[in-house]
Every structure is written in structure tokens, then in C-alpha cells.
């Protein structure tokens, strides 16, 4: 089962490699990993989606990560009331004949066209994973040239920050 | 606030941490620091290889309970520490390693003698630092010692660029240190201790299983008290040896691959296995599915990540053993033990019977010196009171089986990593830390060669280490496996040139003697053990002697290969 972990760490070089190295050591698969600053400039928040076979495996991932001195806190967001998003940019073939159709699609998905050339368009979309999957599938018909995705980030609803729970 | 250089600051920090000796090896990047060591006359031991330095610091730490400190230069000096750091990390030994680094301006340019030592040691240190501003030295040093010795101990590395040693700072040593992400656990949950008491009281076949954590947390006295009061049969891992006396009537030896018959059978039959500061290494458990199959497992550990890592536990007690063993002893003593002890008396008798039927023994008739006999003799002559350091292989297992340990921290051995070459330098470190104790180093001929240059250090310092080589003229443990599992194909386990260890040793300044005849065993060893300075004994033992019992890797513990005489 897939789990989304929010890992709060010191904002220091090497932390991200250390974390990903520790997870891969036991051959757990990291589905995605994203990192960025937070409301505190000396704190980084890393969102990791891991695939764990059972609760014991997940417990190991969390406990091993917790051992790192630079890890301040780990929160398992799985199953919590949360909002999660991913950003994708998709470069797709857009010949004049198809343009209108593509623009339509983009509107339906509330995506944006951020660049247009003679033969291509770049579409930007944020949303849950399946929304991104869905647009990709439709755009496939026109010919996708390139996709970049950021990986998932997630935040809990409610008044509290993760670091305070 | 005093103005001083980075190098002076480091030495000042060492003094603040009550460090009484450092083990190190100089080189370009640390020359400024070495100059300060010289000027301040700080006690320093110079082993002949950086691997020797780190193992020596490790032996010092294991035997004294203090933090071992080691210095090496950048690049090759630092990379030579790796095996020793990994060894300490696996066995949770507190070390602070100070490595020189190329100057900040040269960092990351493949400069002369540059190695990314932080990157290299990330997976084998508890934490590491790169100092980029001289002002950070006091805080980093304070943190390094705090992290190394608190919680589950481990090695911490501080990498210091060459220019930083020379830069100036206003020195102030922090009183205490706050690290957001690091809150070592001390006390646990009292309710859980109650639950443990209840389980103990209702168990019919309880078993205490002691790990290295008891030695490391200096809770041997608490453990002995607990065993004496409850009478619960007790076994230990290799790392747990010494925390309870080998002769304790409730102690049934080491378990695992070369564990005792009674210990391994007890583990297979117990209904309540209480693991205390043990990490359930695969050399201990054998096949996991067949490990303690009838037992509820209770796990005491300071490191939450150890819980359920290998063996699933029914109750977890996460705390410093200083807290949890004391708490358990207090709680259990509220309950009169006689009544509930009765219910596991048959179990105790069963263990005694197993021990009688299948003792650790050797009775192969030979006129050669058997290694087991040599170790028993050393045990007798030192009355179990020596600090015994082993190397890795058969010599290590025979020592574990046949030396009668009396005291905690009296067996120093590379348990987790199984590092050949560990013995000699570690023994030298232990002797530096324990001037008045007898230190005996037991090694094989293979492992001895791996760091034999340290004979010179021992000679230099005239450390009275007694070095015993159990010389089977082969890589014994490898050969044993080849005999058992590879049709006796001795692929490169035999060294063609039979080196003359007596000559090597005397050439390096340590008196040595060869021991070949059984009838000389007593007199020679007696003389050596009572001698003043260092001494090496090259004991010729039969090539084909096996360590038994043996559980083949991946089997259940009850599937032991026994000797005919066992
Ligand atoms: C650094 C290192 N290399 C290889 C091994 C694998 N190994 C384990 S035991 C052993 C043989 C040890 O031979 P020796 O030192 O003569 O000791 P004996 O087993 O004969 O007592 C070897 C090669 C190891 N443990 N460590």
C-alpha cells in the first residue's frame, strides 16, 4: 500500500540524499520524493510516497528515518483528511487542426497553456495524481513529446501545522 | 571570551569533554592540529595505520565506556577509517572522529587528497558534520560528543577543512546543547513494565536473552540482580557476554550459530523470550520463521527502530536499560518470587539437563594443542578477569565458548561487522584505557596479519598486551565452511607461505614465543600471563579443528551440527 509521509528536516545539504539512501537501503520503493522550504526558513519539508507491504515495513521506514539527527518530525499523512497535489507540465504535439480540441480539453481540466509554438503546446496542470493521469491519457492521442511531474505534496486540513500535531 | 585558532579550539573542546587520549595519524590537512597537539602536549597515540587508530579508539571506548577519539588526515587518511567506523556503528560504540579536509576553497574540485568523507560515511555514522565556519567548532564538538554517547551510542564524524584549523574564533564552550531532531529516550512507560511483570509471572518457560546493550549501558549489576531474584534462565548474544557471569547457575551460554545446545534449545522451546538490549541479528536468530516459534517476545531497547526490525515483539519497552531494568527489578520485587518460580522449575531443570547432556566440550584425542584447551587455560590463569579482545573467525567463537567471563565490558569483539584485523589494535586501545588491567588479544593467523603493524605501537608504548595467535596456518573459519558446505574445496583459505610470527613480532619489538607441545601449554602461558611487558605467543593448533556446535546459516537454531563428543 502507498503511504504519504511528511518529513520535516533541518534545511541542510545532504539531508535529502541521506533520507532517500536510507529508504532504498532496505529496498523500499520510493514512488516520489519532493522537497522545499517551509514557513520556517531553516526547515525543509520532504514529502515521500513509499510503497510498503505491511504496517511493519512502514514502521521500519518511519523509525529508521526518525533516527536521523536532522529529521525533526515525521507524519504519516495516509488516511488523514488532507489535500494533495502534483504539478505536471506536458509538451504535446498541437498541429493547427487539433488546436481547438486541445484548448477545449485544457479548459475542461482547468489546466493552463503556458507556451505555444507552431507545432506544440506546453500545458501546465496541478491536481491529484489521477487527474494528471487522465489528461495525459487523452493528450496521448495527439502525441506527447515530454512530461515533467513534481511528485506529490500534501497538507492536512484543519487549524494545526503538521509540526505541531 | 578567549581568542584562539580552530586547532586550539578543538583541543580545548577535547579537554572540556574530559578526553584523556586521542588515537591518530598525521597528514597535510591536519598538520595545524598536530602542531597544537605538540604545543599543548596533549596525550596522543600513534598507531601504524589509520584503521589501527580507529579500532584502538573503539577498543578504548568499549572497555572504558568513554568516547573514543580518533584523528586522521583528509583523503586516504580518512578513507582508511571506514572499516573501523562501520565496525563501531554496527556495535553501537561511541566514537568521535576528527578528519582533516582540503581547504574550503579547494572543496569539490578533486583536489589533492580530497575525499567526500561526509558522503562516504553517511550510512555508517550516527551523524556527521562538515565545519564551514571556524565559529561552529565548539558547538559541533559539543554536539558530536553528546550524540556519540547518548541514546543508542555510535560514531560521529567531524570533517574540518585545513584552513579552518588556522582561522581564529572567540572561544566559548556551550553548557548544553539543543538539537531539534534528536531527543534520546530515557524513560519509558511504567504501565508496560507492569505488563512485562504479568507475562513473566504467568510464563511456564521464560527466558532472558541478553544483548550487547547491557554491556553498553552499564547495567550488568541490574541484570545480575534481576536474574538472581527471578531465577529466570538466561542466555546471551556474543555481544552480551560478560554482562552476566558465565558461571552463574542461571546462565546457559551464548545462542546462535555457535551457541550452546542448551541455549539454542531453550530459545526454540521458550514461551516467553525477553530480549534485553539485543538486536536479533541473523547470526543469533538463524532462520527467522523457526526462531523462538513458541514464544511471545518482549523487547527492551533504547532504539525504537530495533523493535520489529527482525523479530516481531508482543510487548515493547523502549527506554534506556538503566531506567527499564531498574523499574522492572523494583516492580518484580513487589511480588514474592517463590510461588511463581515453582511453575517454571521444571523448565529450569530441563535446561540444566540439556547442558549436562550436551556441554560445550572437546575431547578429540590428539597430542596437539587444541584451541579450546588453550582458551580454557587462559581463562583459568586470568581467573576470568582479563579484558579479552578477539579477532574474527574460529578464534572469536572458541573464545566466546570457552572463556569464562566474569565482568561486563570484558569481551571486545567485532560482532556486527565481523571485522578481521580488529583484535590487535583494539587490544592496544583497551590497554591504553586500562593501564592496570590484563588485556589478552586472541586472534587467528589471518586476522593477525591484517593489522600486525600495530605490534610496533604496542612495543613503542610498552603496553603489556598478551597476544595469543591460534595458528592453524589457514583462514580457519573459511576452511570450516569449505569443509562443511563446499566439498572440502579449500579455495584460497590456505596461505602458502607460512610466515614466522615469532620473527615478525621480535622484529617489531614485541618478545614472542612459539608453543607447539601440549605439555608446555601450562608453563608457557603461565609465564607469559605473568610477564611484565607485551608478549606474543604463536600457538600451533591443528588445521582441521572445527567450531561446534554449528547451526548452518539459514537453519533453525535447533538444527545444530554437534561434535561426536558433545
Ligand atoms: C576484513 C575481513 N575479510 C574477510 C572476512 C571473512 N572471514 C571471516 S573468518 C575468516 C577467516 C579467519 O581466519 P583467521 O584469522 O586465521 O582465524 P581463524 O578462523 O583461523 O581463527 C575470513 C576470511 C572477514 N570477516 N573480515
Amino acid at each position: 500500500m502507498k503511504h504519504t509521509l511528511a518529513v520535516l528536516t533541518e534545511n541542510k545539504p545532504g539531508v535529502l540524499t541521506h533520507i532517500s539512501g536510507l529508504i532504498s537501503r532496505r529496498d523500499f520503493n520510493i514512488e516520489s520524493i519532493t522537497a522545499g522550504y517551509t514557513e520556517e526558513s531553516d526547515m525543509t519539508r520532504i514529502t515521500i510516497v513509499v510503497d510498503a507491504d505491511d504496517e511493519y515495513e512502514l514502521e521500519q521506514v518511519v523509525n529508521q528515518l526518525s533516527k536521523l539527527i536532522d529529521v525533526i518530525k515525521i507524519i504519516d499523512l495516509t488516511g488523514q483528511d488532507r489535500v494533495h497535489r502534483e504539478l505536471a507540465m506536458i509538451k504535446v504535439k498541437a498541429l493547427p487542426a487539433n488546436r481547438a480540441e486541445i484548448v477545449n480539453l485544457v479548459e475542461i481540466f482547468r489546466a493552463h497553456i503556458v507556451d505555444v509554438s507552431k507545432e506544440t503546446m506546453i500545458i501546465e496542470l496541478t491536481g491529484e495524481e489521477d487527474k494528471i493521469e487522465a489528461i495525459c491519457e487523452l493528450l496521448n492521442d495527439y502525441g506527447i513529446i515530454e512530461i515533467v511531474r513534481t511528485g506529490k505534496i500534501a497538507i492536512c486540513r484543519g487549524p494545526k501545522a503538521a509540526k505541531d500535531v | 571570551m578567549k581568542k584562539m585558532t580552530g586547532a586550539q579550539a578543538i583541543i580545548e573542546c577535547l579537554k572540556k569533554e574530559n578526553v584523556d587520549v586521542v588515537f591518530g595519524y598525521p597528514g597535510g590537512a591536519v598538520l595545524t592540529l598536530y602542531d597544537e597537539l605538540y604545543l599543548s602536549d596533549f596525550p596522543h597515540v600513534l598507531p601504524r595505520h589509520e584503521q589501527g587508530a580507529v579500532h584502538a579508539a573503539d577498543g578504548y571506548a568499549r572497555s572504558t565506556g568513554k568516547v573514543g577519539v580518533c584523528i586522521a588526515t583528509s583523503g586516504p587518511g580518512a578513507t582508511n577509517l571506514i572499516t573501523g567506523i562501520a565496525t563501531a556503528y554496527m556495535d553501537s560504540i561511541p566514537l568521535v572522529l576528527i578528519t582533516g579536509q582540503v581547504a574550503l576553497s579547494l572543496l569539490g574540485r578533486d583536489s589533492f587528497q580530497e575525499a567526500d568523507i561526509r558522503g562516504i560515511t553517511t550510512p555508517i555514522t550516527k551523524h556527521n558534520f562538515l565545519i564551514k565556519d571556524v565559529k561552529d567548532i565548539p558547538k559541533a564538538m559539543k554536539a558530536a560528543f553528546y550524540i556519540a554517547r547518548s541514546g543508542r551510542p555510535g560514531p560521529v564524524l567531524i570533517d574540518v577543512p585545513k584552513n579552518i584549523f588556522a582561522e581564529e574564533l572567540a572561544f566559548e564552550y556551550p553548557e548544553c546543547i539543543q538539537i531539534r531532531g534528536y531527543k534520546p529516550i530515557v524513560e519509558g512507560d511504567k504501565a508496560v513494565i507492569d505488563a512485562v511483570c504479568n507475562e513473566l509471572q504467568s510464563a511456564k518457560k521464560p527466558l532472558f536473552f541478553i544483548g550487547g546493550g547491557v554491556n553498553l549501558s552499564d547495567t550488568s549489576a541490574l541484570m545480575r540482580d534481576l536474574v538472581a531474584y527471578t531465577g529466570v534462565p538466561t542466555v546471551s548474544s556474543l555481544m552480551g557476554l560478560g554482562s552476566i557471569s558465565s558461571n552463574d547457575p542461571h546462565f546457559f551460554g551464548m545462542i546462535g550459530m555457535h551457541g550452546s545446545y542448551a541455549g539454542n534449545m531453550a530459545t526454540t522451546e521458550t514461551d516467553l523470550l525477553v530480549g534485553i538490549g539485543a538486536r536479533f541479528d541473523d547470526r543469533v536468530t538463524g532462520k527467522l520463521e523457526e526462531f523462538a516459534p513458541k514464544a511471545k517476545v518482549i523487547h527492551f531497547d533504547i532504539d525504537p527502530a530495533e523493535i520489529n526490525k527482525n523479530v516481531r515483539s508482543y510487548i515493547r519497552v523502549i527506554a534506556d536499560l538503566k531506567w527499564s531494568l531498574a523499574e522492572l527489578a523494583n516492580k518484580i520485587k513487589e511480588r514474592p518470587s517463590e510461588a511463581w518460580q515453582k511453575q517454571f522449575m521444571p523448565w529450569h531443570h530441563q535446561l540444566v539437563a540439556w547442558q549436562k547432556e550436551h556441554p560445550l566440550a572437546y575431547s578429540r584425542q590428539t597430542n596437539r594443542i587444541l584451541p579450546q584447551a588453550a582458551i580454557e587455560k587462559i581463562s583459568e590463569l586470568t581467573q576470568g578477569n582479563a579484558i579479552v579482545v578477539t579477532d574474527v573467525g574460529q578464534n572469536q567463537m572458541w573464545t566466546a565458548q570457552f572463556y569464562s567471563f566474569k565482568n561486563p565490558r570484558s569481551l571486545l569483539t567485532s560482532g556486527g561487522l565481523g571485522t578481521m584485523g580488529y583484535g590487535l589494535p583494539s587490544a592496544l586501545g583497551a590497554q591504553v584505557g586500562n593501564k592496570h588491567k590484563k588485556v589478552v588479544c586472541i586472534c587467528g593467523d589471518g586476522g593477525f596479519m591484517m593489522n600486525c603493524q600495530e605490534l610496533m605501537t604496542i612495543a613503542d608504548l610498552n603496553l603489556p598486551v598478551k597476544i595469543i595467535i591460534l595458528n592453524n596456518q589457514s583462514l580457519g573459519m573459511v576452511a570450516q565452511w569449505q569443509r562443511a558446505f563446499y566439498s572440502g574445496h579449500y579455495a584460497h583459505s590456505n596461505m602458502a607461505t607460512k610466515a614466522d610470527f615469532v620473527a615478525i613480532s621480535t622484529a617489531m619489538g614485541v618478545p614472542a614465543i612459539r608453543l607447539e607441545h601440549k605439555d608446555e601449554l601450562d608453563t608457557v602461558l603461565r609465564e607469559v600471563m605473568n610477564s611484565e611487558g607485551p608478549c606474543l605467543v604463536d600457538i600451533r593448533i591443528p588445521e582441521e579443528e572445527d567450531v561446534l556446535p554449528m547451526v548452518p546459516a539459514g537453519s533453525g537454531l535447533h538444527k545444530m551440527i554437534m561434535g561426536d563428543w558433545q
Side-chain angles (χ1 to χ4, degrees), chain B residues 327-393:
Chain B
E327 199 68 18
L328 180 60
N330 285 342
K331 278 272 164 61
I332 206 110
K333 282 180 181 171
E334 289 168 6
R335 314 177 184 208
S337 63
E338 293 82 9
W340 59 274
Q341 266 182 18
K342 272 209 191 84
Q343 91 195 359
F344 67 77
M345 259 310 132
W347 168 240
H348 209 297
H349 293 323
Q350 170 72 73
L351 266 84
V352 173
W354 276 326
Q355 200 174 32
K356 285 229 172 79
E357 283 162 34
H358 302 284
L360 281 172
Y362 56 96
S363 71
R364 205 159 61 76
Q365 290 304 315
T366 165
N367 49 11
R368 308 279 305 275
I369 299 174
L370 288 180
Q372 301 92 330
I375 287 167
E376 276 185 345
K377 182 53 76 183
I378 295 165
S379 189
E380 177 199 318
L381 291 171
T382 57
Q383 292 167 0
N385 280 320
I387 295 175
V388 177
V389 189
T390 78
D391 210 79
V392 167

Side-chain angles (χ1 to χ4, degrees), chain A residues 10 12-13 18 26 40 42-43 54 56 59-60 63-64 66-72, chain B residues 89 118 122-123 126-127 147 152 179-182 303-309 312 316:
Chain A
E10 298 289 346
K12 283 195 186 148
H18 202 170
R26 285 260 311 243
E40 291 175 36
D42 57 353
M43 193 163 79
D54 54 34
Y56 294 104
E59 184 190 17
Q60 265 309 302
N63 284 344
Q64 293 291 345
S66 305
K67 282 173 72 160
L68 302 185
I69 310 288
D70 285 335
V71 168
I72 300 163
Chain B
Y89 184 69
R118 280 195 64 211
T122 290
K126 190 169 168 188
H127 194 56
I147 292 168
R152 177 183 186 161
I179 304 168
R180 264 202 291 192
Y182 182 64
D303 180 1
E306 284 306 319
I307 309 294
N308 292 337
K309 186 179 77 179
R312 302 270 158 89
R316 55 180 77 185

Side-chain angles (χ1 to χ4, degrees), chain B residues 85-86 88-89 92-97 124-127 148 153-157:
Chain B
I85 298 175
Y89 184 69
S92 308
I93 307 305
L95 295 184
V96 167
L97 308 132
I124 52 166
T125 48
K126 190 169 168 188
H127 194 56
V156 178
L157 183 137

Side-chain angles (χ1 to χ4, degrees), chain A residues 38-78:
Chain A
T38 63
E39 66 282 2
E40 291 175 36
S41 61
D42 57 353
M43 193 163 79
T44 299
R45 178 164 170 148
I46 303 175
T47 310
I48 308 176
V49 182
V50 280
D51 202 358
D53 280 351
D54 54 34
E55 58 178 301
Y56 294 104
E57 243 189 30
L58 185 75
E59 184 190 17
Q60 265 309 302
V61 174
V62 172
N63 284 344
Q64 293 291 345
L65 289 181
S66 305
K67 282 173 72 160
L68 302 185
I69 310 288
D70 285 335
V71 168
I72 300 163
K73 191 164 189 174
I74 302 178
I75 309 109
D76 185 0
L77 299 174
T78 322

Side-chain angles (χ1 to χ4, degrees), chain B residues 83 391-396 398 417-421 443-448 450 470 472 474-479 495 541:
Chain B
T83 303
D391 210 79
V392 167
Q394 292 181 311
N395 60 87
Q396 178 183 37
W398 283 320
L417 200 68
T419 309
M420 275 171 80
C443 45
D445 45 324
F448 169 74
M450 282 201 178
L470 296 177
N472 48 17
S474 68
L475 302 177
M477 191 56 98
V478 168
M495 279 164 286
I541 60 166

